[in-house]
Amino acid sequence: MAKAADSKGDGRVDDFQASLLDRGVLVAQTVPGLCGRGDAFERVVSGLIALTRRIAAADGAERLAFPPVMSRAHLERNGYFSAFPNLAGCVHCFMGGPEDHRRLVGKLVCEEDVADEFRPSKVVLVPAACYPVYPTLSARGALPPEGALIEVASYCFRHEPSTDLARQQSFRMQEFIRVGSPEETMAFRDLWMRRAERLCAMLALPGRVEVANDPFFGEAGRDLGERQRHDALKFEMLLPAGPEGAPRACMSFNAHRDHFGAIWDIRRHDGEVAHTACVGFGLERLTLALFCAHGTELAGWPAAIRDYLGLELTGREDADALSGVIGELAHV
Ligand code: AMP
Ligand code: ZN
């Protein structure tokens, strides 16, 4: 693992995370929990997405893509505001007329706070890639006998500002979601836990799987958390990715039982309420774990790992080498 030091609760990032910024792997922004991604980082993210798709290829998942914002009413119905109100991000917009605009501009000129001039819109930021999927499933009517398997990836938002680069406010999650019987969904979750262990071994990542400990909010949240741990519904793959190589949950394996099926009236072919399970890859955290394990220079990574992630490809096309119609387009 890359040597890490210096972060002793003084708010500074440690050597490993600081070196990612120094070398342009990540690009600092002024708000804690927001950063830009450099080319090396993005190449690893792309490699991870491609790798998980190859592992899952024979499963035949249907690929969907949703915007990183979703209906506020849907997020509310999913139960998010009860469980994690502190993490939610609601989009506010200016909805006034000319008079309101004059007031807004006046405040801007006087450098006053303009937050009051914006009103809640009907959209919120997506907090987990699978959340927009469930409402669309209910619109499909009864599922076929084999159920459904869906792949989605999205930028997700959680309001947890931090100097730890492994705790971003905006990060990408790739997910596979299984919809079917209780047995099918549990088997799917367990299959991915086994796959994830093998994946970590392949990528020489020192992972360990643990029962998840989600930060449910408030008094009621304590009960929800206890029930989640007691029923062992959700597991996480922990990998060194935080300050000084502290472990962070980089993948999660979640059985929801009939939670979403009941909320959205998702029915199996026989009319029973469907169960759901999802496996989520935290793409930024997995990428950080790889940099933590193998160093900040991609060129120094073991050849086999570079190969698994497709890093031998340059990731850039040489415009001079392009031929035909594309080459002509490059030189117009
Ligand atoms: P969860 O829905 O909490 O299980 O999150 C799914 C995955 O997203 C986790 O396993 C993490 O890898 C990743 N993740 C969650 N929160 C963050 C965050 N604040 N910053 C970066 N990645 C995150
Ligand atoms: Zn999910």
Side-chain angles (χ1 to χ4, degrees):
M1 189 197 308
K3 192 175 168 296
D6 285 343
S7 175
K8 297 275 181 265
D10 59 1
R12 285 192 316 151
V13 288
D14 67 302
D15 275 350
F16 150 64
Q17 294 198 343
S19 68
L20 295 176
L21 296 170
D22 289 346
R23 289 169 190 270
V25 176
L26 290 171
V27 182
Q29 291 187 283
T30 51
V31 176
L34 295 189
C35 67
R37 284 79 166 144
D39 185 58
F41 195 90
E42 286 302 292
R43 284 171 63 195
V44 177
V45 169
S46 302
L48 281 167
I49 294 172
L51 184 56
T52 55
R53 283 187 179 154
R54 272 158 67 201
I55 294 167
D59 302 349
E62 172 186 349
R63 198 179 297 168
L64 293 175
F66 291 96
V69 291
M70 65 181 284
S71 154
R72 174 153 54 90
H74 284 181
L75 190 65
E76 190 175 327
R77 198 161 150 190
N78 274 335
Y80 198 78
F81 294 138
S82 311
F84 308 107
N86 52 322
L87 300 182
C90 302
V91 178
H92 284 57
C93 301
F94 176 75
M95 298 177 193
E99 200 176 311
D100 304 295
H101 184 235
R102 271 193 292 280
R103 191 178 55 248
L104 169 65
V105 172
K107 286 185 178 179
L108 290 171
V109 169
C110 300
E111 295 184 12
E112 283 175 31
D113 185 6
V114 294
D116 285 352
E117 304 300 331
F118 295 86
R119 301 268 166 273
S121 75
K122 291 194 182 331
V123 298
V124 290
L125 304 180
V126 167
C130 65
Y131 272 63
V133 173
Y134 307 111
T136 68
L137 288 176
S138 81
R140 287 187 183 190
L143 295 169
E146 68 277 16
L149 175 63
I150 288 159
E151 179 195 341
V152 283
S154 177
Y155 257 102
C156 297
F157 175 88
R158 294 185 187 174
H159 188 239
E160 41 186 358
S162 166
T163 52
D164 173 4
L165 294 175
R167 195 171 302 285
Q168 293 286 311
Q169 296 202 55
S170 188
F171 56 94
R172 278 162 290 186
M173 212 187 282
Q174 185 196 14
E175 291 202 52
F176 292 96
I177 302 135
R178 181 77 169 101
V179 192
S181 68
E183 299 75 28
E184 285 164 341
T185 49
M186 288 309 262
F188 173 82
R189 185 201 66 178
D190 295 345
L191 166 71
W192 270 107
M193 277 164 50
R194 292 195 301 277
R195 284 176 171 173
E197 301 230 315
R198 298 280 288 273
L199 177 66
C200 285
M202 251 173 80
L203 298 175
L205 295 175
R208 68 169 199 275
V209 173
E210 283 191 1
V211 175
N213 201 359
D214 277 349
F216 294 103
F217 191 78
E219 286 284 307
R222 250 199 305 282
D223 296 343
L224 285 172
E226 267 166 32
R227 190 152 12 115
Q228 183 189 50
R229 285 189 294 280
H230 176 266
D231 295 351
L233 291 175
K234 179 172 172 183
F235 291 85
E236 289 171 335
M237 173 67 77
L238 301 172
L239 293 168
E244 301 185 57
R248 294 284 177 266
C250 294
M251 307 179 219
S252 62
F253 316 91
N254 203 354
H256 316 119
R257 296 203 277 227
D258 66 355
H259 175 75
F260 292 113
I263 288 174
W264 294 104
D265 195 31
I266 305 168
R267 299 275 166 180
R268 294 172 52 210
H269 65 108
D270 57 7
E272 289 289 313
V273 173
H275 279 222
T276 59
C278 68
V279 45
F281 301 94
L283 294 169
E284 273 71 17
R285 284 196 185 168
L286 273 172
T287 301
L288 284 171
L290 282 159
F291 278 106
C292 186
H294 304 307
T296 45
E297 291 293 337
L298 292 187
W301 289 17
I305 293 171
R306 293 170 55 87
D307 193 41
Y308 294 137
L309 293 168
L311 299 178
E312 299 311 329
L313 308 171
T314 61
R316 291 173 203 272
E317 302 307 332
D318 181 349
D320 292 334
L322 292 174
S323 59
V325 179
I326 301 174
E328 280 168 30
L329 264 174
H331 295 293
V332 284

